[in-house]
Amino acid sequence: MNKTLYANGKLLIIGEYTVLDGSNAFALPCRFGQSMEVRLAESATVNWKSLDADGSEWLTATIPLADIYSGKHADAPTETAMLVKVLHQAHTANPEVLTSGFDVITKLTFPRLWGLGTSSTLISLVADWFSIDPYLLLAKTFSGSGYDIACAQQTAPLLFNLKQGIAEVTTVAFNPVFKEKLYFVYLNQKQNSREAIAAYREKVFDKEKLIQQVDKLVAETYQAQDLGAFSSALEKHEALLGGILGIAPVQERMFPDFKGVIKSLGAWGGDFVLAVSEDNPISYFEEKGYNTIIPYTEMVY
């Protein structure tokens, strides 16, 4: 059973954090993602190799099938232990796949530190390989809302919602006339989403009111007909969420002199931001030491 699979990366434009409590979230699948080649092997092992975008190996492991069956791999490094957990849960869901060994090679098309979905694309790829539900696999491994799993499987902009723990995904028409004025900027630091979510969970606030406010701003964002309306919705969301988190928005903290709007994406504090600017902002960010600036049309489908 030889396979070649691919999954898309993700960007959560608006609805971060609150998506965990039932709000809508607006997300964009990325052109960047991760591929997986699966080939039958004669050994009773899964021989795994994960490659970064530059071809360098960042994870190599030879895992006996018995360890995957049991879910235990003695003295394994953290990343290998997590891989064993993912494969164990996949095997538990469908034990008909790992009846023999396999050689598996995964390769990212984006640098791993960018945070565009190394884990989510892995979950989607393994679920595809085992023909199982990726959301259930996510729940038993990394956890999270699942919007990134939706992005892994789609190429169109989407709305994501959790209704009583069940993922609802709706593709939406978002091809704004102002897309040439949108840029994604990497902040040179990878954010730990689990830590950010834990900090959010500690906050006390009116959850129902916040969800209503976020849902309104999500709709204003993907339905925006011009740059002004789009920017306004992003600014309102930054201010709203900043008040809940007790953190000043990223533009206020890091780019107060920027002529335009900057919004945090996903977990606040790292990875990418969305920059909205009438003028090309590349020189502005480069002067501040941020050299990864990707135009909207190069990042998403």
Side-chain angles (χ1 to χ4, degrees), residues 8 19 30 37 44 68 83 100 114 150-151 190 196 205 208 253:
N8 296 311
V19 66
C30 298
E37 292 185 10
I68 297 174
L83 174 60
S100 63
W114 280 8
C151 286
K190 192 175 188 307
F205 54 90
E208 291 186 7
R253 286 184 285 115

Side-chain angles (χ1 to χ4, degrees), residues 114-125:
W114 280 8
L116 289 181
T118 303
S119 299
S120 57
T121 52
L122 172 67
I123 292 296
S124 179
L125 290 166

